[in-house]
Amino acid sequence: MSVHPSASAASPAARPALSLPRLREMSARGEKIAMLTCYDATFARVLDAAGVDALLVGDSLGNVVQGQPSTLPVSLSHMAYHTECVARANTAAWLIADLPFGCYEASPQQAFDAAVTLMRAGARMVKLEGGGALAETVRFLVDRGIPVCAHLGLTPQRVFALGGFRVQGRDEAAAAALRADAAAMAAAGAAMLVLELVPAALAREISQAHPQMMTIGIGAGAGTAGQVLVLHDLLGLTPGRRPRFVRDFTREPGSAPEAPGLTIAAAVARYVHDVKAGVFPDEAVHAF
Ligand code: KIV
């Protein structure tokens, strides 16, 4: 039986594996964390080799892989399957998997059982959406050795409750609630926090208030410890109007539409470079 070369080739990535202490060290010395979503082995190999620090098996796979209108139909078995695919090809990047809608909100025990499934599939950390109401759950997981990334701001699993994909924390009451949720997640032991569609000044303030909880922004300005994008957005593959916080990294900024684009590997390497150099996001263009 022949083995497809892309399945057997040794990864060119010779860097040491990213761990929580290494990510914390990077963050403490001001090096930005470059994270991307990833859903399969081929992209995991490319992203890992391009030096992406953290791969997120996001439940955005519901949108970009399954063609669903939201992340709500994504199940725990879908997440475990894609986490296994990514884990097989990844050598060094820190691997995070989303707890999907309906699998963690009811009780700490329910969240623990779902997190065990994802950790056994190869995740090193699980992500969940929500604030203070989930503090007990976060503490329960952390006390049992499961690193947790919280997710605040625009939380796509709550899109119907939030009334759409819109910037969160704009008025003072909403900003105060977001600050309180972030403090609750930090106190519960969350090691990371994704801040999605949050005004840049608020994201910067939360990042500075909780340096032990590495903040990763998406549409949250440049003041977070790192950045994440949905891979398909970065590659310019998402149809429709491009959200303001997204940049198509296959195109040189300002290049003519007919100019040849970068390869996927080069576009991902450019993203890593631009995040670390503080060039992306440009708050004048990508922030709220
Ligand atoms: O599921 C996902 O891709 C995410 C990112 C947008 C942070 O949660």
Side-chain angles (χ1 to χ4, degrees):
M1 187 188 79
S2 71
V3 176
H4 191 281
S6 66
S8 61
S11 166
R15 59 188 178 141
L18 274 294
S19 60
L20 263 188
R22 278 201 65 215
L23 288 164
R24 284 203 175 100
E25 263 171 44
M26 278 170 56
S27 193
R29 61 168 190 269
E31 181 177 343
K32 297 277 182 185
I33 297 165
M35 185 190 292
L36 282 177
T37 66
C38 187
Y39 318 101
D40 67 30
T42 295
F43 275 114
R45 190 172 300 110
V46 172
L47 272 50
D48 187 31
V52 176
D53 298 310
L55 304 181
L56 169 64
V57 185
D59 61 356
S60 51
L61 70 85
N63 306 105
V64 299
V65 178
Q66 298 176 337
Q68 299 282 9
S70 77
T71 58
L72 274 65
V74 177
S75 70
L76 184 60
S77 52
H78 296 152
M79 290 306 306
Y81 171 79
H82 287 278
T83 301
E84 280 172 10
C85 295
V86 171
R88 262 180 221 125
N90 176 46
T91 64
W94 181 247
L95 183 44
I96 307 164
D98 263 338
L99 287 167
F101 175 69
C103 292
Y104 62 94
E105 302 88 334
S107 68
Q109 185 63 52
Q110 184 202 28
F112 178 76
D113 293 342
V116 166
T117 300
L118 297 183
M119 299 295 280
R120 285 189 176 145
R124 298 289 170 259
M125 172 180 249
V126 296
K127 178 164 82 60
L128 49 77
E129 297 182 9
L134 287 169
E136 188 192 342
T137 293
V138 171
R139 173 51 63 199
F140 192 89
L141 298 181
V142 171
D143 283 350
R144 284 155 184 78
I146 298 177
V148 174
C149 175
H151 184 158
L152 294 172
L154 188 280
T155 43
Q157 292 174 12
R158 290 159 194 242
V159 64
F160 299 116
L162 295 173
F165 292 91
R166 51 173 66 130
V167 181
Q168 302 295 306
R170 269 206 200 272
D171 61 56
E172 196 34 56
L178 237 158
R179 282 187 202 101
D181 280 336
M185 292 292 101
M192 243 180 220
L193 170 66
V194 167
L195 287 170
E196 179 166 359
L197 285 192
V198 171
L202 180 59
R204 182 173 278 109
E205 182 195 325
I206 289 172
S207 304
Q208 287 169 358
H210 306 289
Q212 79 283 18
M213 179 171 65
M214 294 167 277
T215 53
I216 309 292
I218 172 165
T224 49
Q227 297 291 327
V228 61
L229 280 180
V230 170
L231 176 63
H232 296 58
D233 288 346
L234 170 150
L235 296 176
L237 296 173
T238 310
R241 202 168 59 87
R242 189 188 310 152
R244 179 163 158 185
F245 61 87
V246 168
R247 186 175 124 196
D248 176 353
F249 279 83
T250 66
R251 306 248 134 228
E252 296 289 354
S255 66
E258 62 280 7
L262 297 182
T263 63
I264 291 174
V268 173
R270 169 67 59 90
Y271 168 75
V272 173
H273 170 273
D274 285 4
V275 167
K276 292 194 183 279
V279 175
F280 178 80
D282 175 349
E283 286 195 358
V285 179
H286 303 110
F288 301 96

